[in-house]
Amino acid sequence: MKTIDLSDERREALVAHLQTLFSTEFDETLSDFRAGEILDRMLKTLGPTVYNQAVEDVRAHFQAKLDDLNGEVYVDED
């Protein structure tokens, strides 16, 4: 299975977002380590499902475009 790898910048942003979320919504302070562990667990648990859905959505979008290819680019030969 393909793993979901985040850039350092994206990971830091998501960790900070989790810390803000837990602080404002749950009145709980998360260390960088705890927020990182939560992020890792979420990626491992939810990541494949979200990734697969995104791939399916893109596939369906492109299939719809291919199905309508004649309508998009067809030129009358008259």
Side-chain angles (χ1 to χ4, degrees):
M1 181 181 88
K2 180 174 176 42
T3 59
I4 299 174
D5 296 319
L6 302 174
S7 68
D8 291 341
E9 295 82 18
R10 180 162 286 159
R11 182 176 177 76
E12 289 172 14
L14 288 172
V15 164
H17 181 73
L18 278 173
Q19 289 171 318
T20 301
L21 175 70
F22 271 71
S23 177
T24 58
E25 297 295 324
F26 306 114
D27 197 27
E28 183 175 341
T29 303
L30 292 181
S31 67
D32 288 347
F33 177 78
R34 283 186 69 203
E37 288 298 308
I38 290 170
L39 178 59
D40 289 342
R41 181 148 314 172
M42 291 174 71
L43 286 173
K44 185 177 180 182
T45 304
L46 302 174
T49 300
V50 173
Y51 180 87
N52 289 340
Q53 184 62 52
V55 169
E56 179 60 28
D57 291 348
V58 169
R59 189 207 60 75
H61 173 76
F62 280 120
Q63 188 62 53
K65 291 294 185 185
L66 286 171
D67 290 345
D68 193 32
L69 189 58
N70 281 341
E72 291 286 325
V73 297
Y74 185 80
V75 177
D76 287 328
E77 297 179 23
D78 295 338

